[in-house]
Amino acid sequence: VCIHRVRSWSSIRFVKSKYVCVFDKSALKFSHQQRLFRTSAVSCGQIVQFKLSDIGEGITEVTVKEWYIKEGDSVSQFDSICEVQSDKASVTITSRYDGIIRKLHYNLDEIAFVGKPLVDIEIDASKGVAPEEDVVETPPMSHEEHTHQEIKGHKTLATPAVRRLAMENNIKLSEVVGTGKDNRILKEDILNYLAKQTGAILPPSPKAEIIPPLPKSETVPAASKDKAHKIPVPVSRPIVFSGKDKTEPVTGFQKAMVKTMSAALKIPHFGYCDEIDLTQLVQLREELKPLAQLRGVKLSFMPFFIKAASLGLLQYPILNALLDENCQNVTYKASHNIGVAMDTEQGLIVPNVKNVQVCSVFEIASELNRLQSLGFTGQLGTSDLTGGTFTLSNIGTIGGTYTKPVILPPEVAIGALGKIQVLPRFNGRGEVFKAQIMNVSWSADHRIIDGATMARFSNLWKSYLENPASMLLDLK
């Protein structure tokens, strides 16, 4: 038994027998002040097991991707402990306690289970006793308690009461827009965020400041139209041939794809294809790109596709619905949370832009920039990847004209966009002209959507894109 700490007391006090039996009581007496040597086989503090709490969406296990601490390190509340990856997103777990890390229960790339200990933390018992359910050798922690989580790298300002409210509702503070001083997150911000997650149509939150365009002499020069078309160059990787078979477990986003596509096989798909003349939209985007760059946003064609889809969904709400697993109920979603399929190093992910029905094209572009930045670094949060109601997949960025997209249940429709090609077409006078043509492929759940509905929606979406000025009549 090691002597870990010495405490001076004004009068001698008696401790539990498991400590007293080590020493002679008379050896602890002094003339003016008595001292008690307190001993422990582990430490003088209280050891609590910090368990991995429920991170939502039915996730029961995660992979430990990175530790930010090691045994012996001191941590404070809300300090990052580790980064874990589920089959939906990467999440940073933060501490609930001030103390010293005594044990890591998992190595890198090992599977951690919800409700099981993640680390052991020694806390100072004199500063407050930890909850009974967290103490070593006591019953497991209540399942309703949540660890505070946030996306890696984000710093937030909030009072302890606000942090507690966020923890109780499993909200990452880094995803909440603070309206207080210095972007401090207030209680009202948490409540507004919760309301948005329920699908309620809310007025748009404060957006990025709109900067008026500079005079023409100071505007950013547009890219030369004569610039040679960039040919993609494949990344060369050394080829290693071992001559042996290799077996790897299905983990991460691959595991999510297996689960989702297995469920999608139960859906009777039907397809509908068409071509869109984007000549006017291509010209409009070239004019708006420099203005968007001045505001710090990269403007692609996708924000226009998304907004046009939202305007179409207002007319055909059945395409923005969710069908339950037993096919007994159809839920017409008020919010247009339109997902965008992204190809990343981790695999296929589909984050979604929330509440498109109340967003401008610029706001959609800004949100897409954020999602793409987080997606390519593997830092998308669970809320970014869940709650989608309709999906678009832009396969044309890689190549290809037509595809057969697979519906993401419980959604009922999805669209796949081909590459934009310059092709000859005839105008109304029978003259040949160069047209910017894009093909679209739709898939819909034939259990609740008929071909006529899908065709009418596609025609309306097509009309908005072929005559982008017509969208002004319906923008809100």
Side-chain angles (χ1 to χ4, degrees), residues 55 155 272 334 375:
I55 58 178
K155 299 297 182 183
Y272 179 84

Side-chain angles (χ1 to χ4, degrees), residues 214-223 286 289-295:
L214 298 174
K216 290 186 178 180
S217 59
E218 301 179 28
T219 55
V220 178
E286 286 299 319
K289 272 176 62 178
L291 300 180
Q293 288 176 351
L294 288 175
R295 303 184 192 180

Side-chain angles (χ1 to χ4, degrees), residues 77 122 140 169 176 224 232 241 285 303 314 373 388 390 403 447 472:
Q77 290 188 52
E122 177 189 341
N169 291 279
V176 180
S224 174
F241 183 73
R285 174 178 170 264
L314 291 173
S373 176
F390 186 86
T403 185
R447 294 174 296 186
L472 295 176

Side-chain angles (χ1 to χ4, degrees), residues 6 28 57 75 87 96 101 172 237 241 254 318 416 435 473:
V6 177
L28 305 178
E57 298 300 321
V75 294
D87 58 1
R96 293 177 56 211
I101 301 298
K172 292 182 284 293
R237 293 188 177 93
F241 183 73
Q254 279 186 331
I318 185 62
L473 296 176

Side-chain angles (χ1 to χ4, degrees), residues 88-363:
K88 297 181 183 294
S90 294
V91 177
T92 297
I93 306 298
T94 58
S95 175
R96 293 177 56 211
Y97 307 106
D98 299 330
I100 301 173
I101 301 298
R102 290 304 181 196
K103 181 179 179 181
L104 308 181
H105 284 268
Y106 300 98
N107 296 320
L108 291 179
D109 295 324
E110 286 189 345
I111 303 297
F113 296 92
V114 169
K116 299 296 183 181
L118 194 62
V119 296
D120 288 355
I121 303 179
E122 177 189 341
I123 65 172
D124 189 346
S126 65
K127 293 184 179 180
V129 179
E132 285 290 331
E133 59 269 21
D134 286 328
V135 180
V136 174
E137 298 179 354
T138 57
M141 181 178 65
S142 173
H143 195 63
E144 284 75 23
E145 292 196 18
H146 300 284
T147 55
H148 177 64
Q149 301 147 358
E150 63 181 3
I151 296 179
K152 178 182 176 182
H154 286 254
K155 299 297 182 183
T156 54
L157 293 175
T159 63
V162 172
R163 292 184 183 274
R164 170 58 61 182
L165 180 63
M167 286 173 12
E168 290 174 350
N169 291 279
N170 199 29
I171 295 175
K172 292 182 284 293
L173 289 176
S174 55
E175 296 180 356
V176 180
V177 178
T179 59
K181 184 179 180 181
D182 298 326
N183 296 323
R184 182 178 296 276
I185 297 176
L186 307 177
K187 179 181 178 181
E188 292 75 13
D189 300 327
I190 299 292
L191 297 178
N192 288 336
Y193 183 88
L194 281 173
K196 289 183 179 180
Q197 298 309 302
T198 62
I201 299 179
L202 299 175
S205 57
K207 303 294 179 182
E209 179 182 0
I210 297 179
I211 303 174
L214 298 174
K216 290 186 178 180
S217 59
E218 301 179 28
T219 55
V220 178
S224 174
K225 295 183 179 180
D226 299 330
K227 188 176 180 180
H229 181 68
K230 294 183 179 179
I231 300 176
V233 179
V235 179
S236 59
R237 293 188 177 93
I239 299 176
V240 179
F241 183 73
S242 64
K244 297 181 180 180
D245 296 341
K246 182 172 66 172
T247 301
E248 295 180 348
V250 178
T251 59
F253 295 133
Q254 279 186 331
K255 194 171 185 179
M257 188 182 299
V258 169
K259 180 180 179 181
T260 303
M261 293 300 101
S262 296
L265 284 175
K266 303 176 183 178
I267 300 175
H269 287 58
F270 82 88
Y272 179 84
C273 300
D274 201 356
E275 71 172 32
I276 321 294
D277 183 356
L278 297 181
T279 304
Q280 292 187 39
L281 182 60
V282 169
Q283 181 179 356
L284 176 63
R285 174 178 170 264
E286 286 299 319
E287 295 174 359
L288 296 179
K289 272 176 62 178
L291 300 180
Q293 288 176 351
L294 288 175
R295 303 184 192 180
V297 172
K298 180 180 178 181
L299 181 63
S300 64
F301 288 104
M302 186 56 76
F304 297 98
F305 300 152
I306 291 175
K307 189 60 184 180
S310 178
L311 294 175
L313 294 175
L314 291 173
Q315 301 296 324
Y316 299 96
I318 185 62
L319 297 174
N320 194 58
L322 304 181
L323 182 63
D324 68 2
E325 188 174 357
N326 297 323
C327 303
Q328 299 298 315
N329 297 288
V330 178
T331 302
Y332 293 82
K333 301 299 290 184
S335 295
H336 297 170
N337 299 339
I338 298 182
V340 180
M342 293 183 183
D343 177 39
T344 69
E345 293 182 358
Q346 293 81 28
L348 174 67
I349 57 176
V350 190
N352 58 81
V353 181
K354 300 287 194 298
N355 295 303
V356 175
Q357 77 281 0
V358 292
C359 292
S360 67
V361 171
F362 175 76
E363 291 164 353

